[in-house]
Amino acid sequence: MTSLLRRVGPAQQQSLLSCDKFVTYEGAWIVDTVPVLLEPFVFVDSHFHLDLILKRLHFNTFLHMSSRISPAEHNNTFYYGVANYVFPEHWDSWSVQVGAAKSVYVSFGIHPHIAARGVSHKQLEDLDHLLGNYKCVAVGEIGLDFTTRCGCKRCHTPQQCQQRMRDCQEKALLEMLQIAQRRQLPVILHCRDRGSGDAAARVLAIIRSGFAELHYHRHCFDGSIEELREWQSLPNVVFGITGKFLKDTNTNSDAISRILPHQLILESDAPFLSPRSCCEVNHPWNLIDVALAVSQRRNIPLNILNWMANDNALRFYGIPKLRQEPASWGPRPR
């Protein structure tokens, strides 16, 4: 908190002191609300899918999109962000889509929906090569998704198909965790089921079997307080909060107030999970709605919440990276 307050001007420090409000993250219910300070919203979007946003909104590059979609009236500024490329058929387009946007870093992985079909040795080789790029800050998103549907037109063996897909997802997850371990990169985790928590529990068991020392980003966290405590036993973990808890009444929003300050980051997951009903295709500049909701839930002023989440994301991903593009960098092998 001290390091955050040092970045606030004297006038704003005095305004916080004169508010006479108390803040906490340990589940205390506070009746009085803290003030929302009016100032520019400079944000870090720790997770979005640039390839899918550009496709849905018919833009060519991040800079093309930001010149058209950034709402100047809200004074929102995209500071840094991590674009996740999780579909192997889109891997070749990342450099053109990111283009000259120095504030956009990338991660590469194979989404569980794709991994359920099986991952080839060639795909793993291509992934390993991409992870060596100077713009890449993480492996992911990867994980387990128990809602994946099989490709059968009329499935006559649903239990067998489900087990086969889960086996393929687990095999791919283990292989990609091994790559992350060798390259010492953070991992973005996708855990989804139909509310049982089984997917997250299984991923955590795999992590504890030999990968606990890695840094993990629990993407789109919506688990219970008990699940949160289990994951907080890992030495290096952060929890990404999206607009899901604004839209989904089944999301365990009570756990949001129990996430430790240094473990909380914000993510838009664009183009999915738009927090605005009028915005069908989500984009990073909608992250202010998520930040406002989280600040109200935790009863923390928006600017304090935002600085905290930004600092956590930048520290977790090592952004901005000081490495330069190597002269020998070339296209991935064919």
Side-chain angles (χ1 to χ4, degrees):
M1 185 63 73
T2 302
S3 63
L4 293 175
L5 288 174
R6 287 197 189 107
R7 299 170 56 181
V8 183
Q12 290 180 335
Q13 288 182 11
Q14 188 59 40
S15 70
L16 288 172
L17 290 172
S18 62
C19 286
D20 236 357
K21 311 296 179 188
F22 296 90
V23 297
T24 181
Y25 62 87
E26 282 293 347
W29 293 101
I30 303 174
V31 176
D32 296 330
T33 57
V34 296
V36 177
L37 300 180
L38 299 177
E39 61 178 40
F41 182 72
V42 181
F43 64 91
V44 175
D45 189 349
S46 64
H47 187 105
F48 64 100
H49 300 274
L50 181 59
D51 51 342
L52 301 183
I53 302 173
L54 297 179
K55 181 179 180 180
R56 294 190 183 191
L57 294 178
H58 308 291
F59 293 121
N60 299 319
T61 66
F62 177 84
L63 292 179
H64 182 202
M65 174 181 69
S66 63
S67 67
R68 300 290 187 89
I69 208 168
S70 178
E73 65 272 18
H74 293 302
N75 205 14
N76 294 354
T77 301
F78 184 102
Y79 185 36
Y80 281 105
V82 179
N84 286 237
Y85 282 82
V86 296
F87 303 105
E89 64 269 25
H90 295 175
W91 284 347
D92 281 335
S93 61
W94 80 267
S95 59
V96 173
Q97 293 176 348
V98 172
K102 294 182 179 180
S103 59
V104 178
Y105 288 81
V106 294
S107 70
F108 297 101
I110 301 176
H111 194 282
H113 285 332
I114 308 300
R117 308 170 192 165
V119 174
S120 68
H121 181 69
K122 179 64 167 59
Q123 286 176 320
L124 292 173
E125 284 185 338
D126 289 346
L127 175 63
D128 193 17
H129 178 74
L130 288 164
L131 293 173
N133 189 286
Y134 79 110
K135 272 281 194 177
C136 180
V137 295
V139 179
E141 62 190 273
I142 61 177
L144 300 180
D145 193 320
F146 293 169
T147 70
T148 303
R149 297 180 180 179
C150 65
C152 306
K153 291 185 178 180
R154 290 186 178 181
C155 187
H156 300 290
T157 57
Q159 291 184 343
Q160 293 180 15
C161 283
Q162 186 181 61
Q163 189 59 52
R164 174 181 52 79
M165 290 187 297
R166 291 187 181 185
D167 290 343
C168 288
Q169 287 182 357
E170 283 202 22
K171 182 175 183 293
L173 175 60
L174 281 167
E175 291 170 330
M176 288 185 280
L177 284 175
Q178 290 168 358
I179 295 174
Q181 192 174 54
R182 176 166 50 81
R183 286 195 170 272
Q184 286 299 290
L185 283 171
V187 178
I188 305 165
L189 290 174
H190 172 113
C191 308
R192 183 188 298 166
D193 49 42
R194 303 192 186 280
S196 65
D198 292 343
R202 181 57 187 152
V203 171
L204 185 57
I206 291 172
I207 288 172
R208 286 173 171 166
S209 70
F211 305 96
E213 81 284 358
L214 294 177
H215 290 62
Y216 293 102
H217 169 181
R218 264 297 305 270
H219 158 58
C220 195
F221 181 75
D222 63 349
S224 64
I225 294 174
E226 291 72 22
E227 181 180 320
L228 174 68
R229 287 172 177 162
E230 284 290 319
W231 279 83
Q232 285 176 329
S233 66
L234 295 176
N236 301 292
V237 62
V238 295
F239 300 90
I241 305 301
T242 67
K244 189 176 189 296
F245 87 100
L246 294 172
K247 303 181 67 175
D248 189 351
T249 56
N250 294 324
T251 299
N252 296 291
S253 59
D254 285 350
I256 292 174
S257 64
R258 304 297 184 94
I259 298 174
L260 299 176
H262 68 279
Q263 294 178 333
L264 186 144
I265 60 178
L266 301 177
E267 52 182 43
S268 70
D269 199 24
F272 311 108
L273 303 178
S274 176
R276 302 183 179 185
S277 57
C278 62
C279 184
E280 184 175 347
V281 180
N282 193 18
H283 53 73
W285 287 266
N286 285 340
L287 194 64
I288 188 172
D289 290 7
V290 179
L292 277 168
V294 174
S295 71
Q296 292 167 4
R297 183 70 191 178
R298 294 174 68 96
N299 207 45
I300 298 176
L302 175 62
N303 59 342
I304 298 295
L305 182 282
N306 190 43
W307 292 331
M308 180 177 71
N310 285 354
D311 284 350
N312 291 343
L314 295 177
R315 189 182 311 110
F316 180 84
Y317 284 113
I319 296 173
K321 302 188 80 173
L322 300 179
R323 292 163 27 186
Q324 298 296 318
E325 181 174 5
S328 60
W329 177 257
R332 59 193 175 97
R334 296 292 179 184

